[in-house]
Each structure stands twice: as C-alpha cells, then as structure tokens.
Amino acid sequence: MSRTAPKAYLSRAAVNGLLLLSVGYMLFPLVWLVTAATKDAGGLLAGDAFSFQGFDLGGNLGRLAEQSDGVYFRWYLNSLLYAGVGAAGCALVSVAAGYAFHSYDFRGKEKLFGLVLLGVLVPGTALALPTYLLASEAGLVNTPWAVLIPVLVNPFGVYLARVFCAGYIPDEALEAARIDGAGELRTFWSIGLRMVMPGFVTIFLFQFTAIWNNFFLPLVMLSDQKLFPLSLGLYAWNSNAHAEPGYYPLVVTGSLLAVIPLVVAFVALQRHWKAGLTAGSVK
C-alpha cells in the first residue's frame, strides 16, 4: 500500500499537469485575442498585446461600426443567416435520412449507406470546383443560395443521425403510431424527430460551427462584398492591413466579436449536446 500510494499520486499529478498544459494551450489564443482587441494599431505593432495599457476597446468598436458604412455588421448578419439556416436545414435533412436508414428496409440500403460513409472521406475542398460549376449552370453564383444549398448535405451528419435513431427510437413506438393511423410523415415529425432531438441539436452545433468558420466555399462562390460572411470579410481586411496598419485593430476586434455566437450556441444548447454525447452509453 505504501508503494502504490506515491505511484498513484504521481500518476494523478502527471495527468493533471498534462490537462493544465492543454487548457493553457487552448486558452492562450483567446487571452491574446481579448487583450489585443483593446489595443490600437501602434500597440499591436509594438508587440505589447498582453497588457491592458492604452485600453481602447470602445474606440475599436466605434471604428469597426464606422468602417465602410458598417459593412462588418452586414457580414455578421450574413454569417448568422448562413450558419443558422444552413445548420438547421442540414440537421433536419440528416435526421430524416438517418431515420429512413434506421426505420425502413429497402433494396441496397446498406450499399447506399456505404456510399454515405464514403462521402465522409471526401474533403470539402475537393468538391468546391464541381459545386461551383453546378451553381454556375443554375445561375446561383454570387447569391446566398450558393452558400446555403451545399451545406444542407453532410454525410457525417447522416451517419450520426442513424446512430442516434438506433439508440433513441424504439421500433415499438413507431409501430404503435402506425397502428393508431398516423402516416409516415406524421410519425417522423411527431415521434421520431422528438425522440432524437438530442441528436438534432448535436448535428446542428457541429454544422453551425463548420459553416460559421467556413472560408473556402464563400471564397469560391461570392464576389459581392455585401454577401461575404465574417470569415471572408475579415480575411479581406487582413489582406489590406499590410498596406494600411489601421486595419489590424479592426480585424482583431472583429475576430473577438465573431466568437460570441459560437459560445452562446454551445452554452444555450449544452444540455441537449451533453445528452447526445452519452447516447447509448447506458441501457
């Protein structure tokens, strides 16, 4: 007992130390972002970003709102539109597809699901050019639809939805609904979707984060600055900062504000998200 106690203590100390290093590594950029957003261009270029000396967050916010007639907040609304509508639509499509794979038997079901899994392995950048050509043929380039429609389909979301349906939706509940006279759409909407709501929220959060941080698809599809999301708009400002250093505080302050919707989404939906992560762990 006397020998095992020091070993157990050292093991816990090593694990806790590794966790602290990991937390510090992840929080370091956020701390830099918070402090750097209070600096003007001179303070940032001087390399003194980790102090609050010369605190000018209010001035940076004011300049951010005034720059180019407030185009930043238009980008903000664009990102909320793309991420919110796109993530909700993707979650609904994924849950519907996962529900169909779980609830129905049809010829070639597993082969079709294998193709869905194969789609998980294909990087999104490889599909950007074909997607652009299709959008060009449909006349959707440089419109919000060019960004919204491609994000409605997510192979990983379909796979995740099927796993959730298998863990949350008992076949007996669906049979009872059909015996009571409910149609297939009514059964899915009133029973299947309600039971798998933790999975819906989990897929929504994953896709919301992916769309909010998406850069390459808007870069390919959009040329009108008024349609830019935050990621593309801040990139354009950062490119101008090399010639005009006054853009540096705008980019940093805008990046800080861009984190807020992600934090709010995860905090507001964490109850459903945590329930979704433990799906199937307890019978």
Side-chain angles (χ1 to χ4, degrees):
M1 294 291 292
S2 60
R3 292 180 179 179
T4 57
K7 292 182 179 180
Y9 175 78
L10 290 176
S11 298
R12 288 196 298 269
V15 171
N16 291 334
L18 183 60
L19 289 175
L20 287 175
L21 287 175
S22 301
V23 170
Y25 176 78
M26 289 184 291
L27 290 181
F28 181 82
L30 183 59
V31 173
W32 182 92
L33 189 62
V34 171
T35 56
T38 66
K39 302 290 182 182
D40 57 12
L44 287 174
L45 295 176
D48 190 24
F50 282 101
S51 71
F52 287 100
Q53 184 177 2
F55 188 91
D56 193 29
L57 179 60
N60 287 339
L61 291 174
R63 287 186 288 272
L64 187 68
E66 295 172 358
Q67 183 67 31
S68 300
D69 296 326
V71 71
Y72 173 82
F73 293 101
R74 186 180 182 91
W75 295 341
Y76 212 99
L77 293 176
N78 291 340
S79 290
L80 289 174
L81 172 67
Y82 299 149
V85 176
C90 176
L92 183 60
V93 170
S94 297
V95 170
Y99 174 85
F101 277 117
H102 167 69
S103 302
Y104 303 120
D105 291 323
F106 50 89
R107 181 180 298 179
K109 180 175 79 171
E110 296 304 326
K111 293 181 179 179
L112 182 59
F113 189 69
L115 289 177
V116 172
L117 295 181
L118 186 62
V120 177
L121 305 177
V122 180
T125 53
L127 300 176
L129 182 57
T131 304
Y132 173 81
L133 294 176
L134 289 173
S136 179
E137 289 292 331
L140 299 177
V141 173
N142 205 30
T143 67
W145 297 108
V147 178
L148 281 172
I149 293 177
V151 301
L152 294 178
V153 179
N154 183 1
F156 179 72
V158 176
Y159 162 75
L160 201 60
R162 185 179 185 182
V163 173
F164 275 106
C165 288
Y168 277 90
I169 303 177
D171 294 335
E172 293 80 4
L174 301 181
E175 287 297 327
R178 291 172 182 136
I179 291 174
D180 288 340
E184 295 300 327
L185 289 177
R186 178 66 181 275
T187 301
F188 166 71
W189 185 261
S190 300
I191 297 178
L193 184 60
R194 306 295 176 87
M195 287 183 171
V196 80
M197 189 55 66
F200 180 93
V201 173
T202 302
I203 297 170
F204 174 86
L205 285 175
F206 284 157
Q207 191 69 354
F208 185 89
T209 304
I211 299 172
W212 188 267
N213 296 324
N214 194 6
F215 171 78
F216 194 67
L217 181 64
L219 178 65
V220 172
M221 294 293 185
L222 303 177
S223 59
D224 186 357
Q225 192 180 62
K226 294 181 179 180
L227 297 176
F228 283 3
L230 279 176
S231 57
L232 191 54
L234 291 176
Y235 170 78
W237 278 1
N238 189 57
S239 300
N240 295 334
H242 299 290
E244 299 181 36
Y247 277 101
Y248 279 120
L250 301 180
V251 173
V252 174
T253 308
S255 299
L256 178 62
L257 295 182
V259 177
I260 295 176
L262 297 178
V263 175
V264 171
F266 274 87
V267 171
L269 301 175
Q270 64 177 334
R271 179 171 62 88
H272 298 283
W273 182 53
K274 290 179 180 179
L277 290 180
T278 58
S281 61
V282 179
K283 288 291 184 181

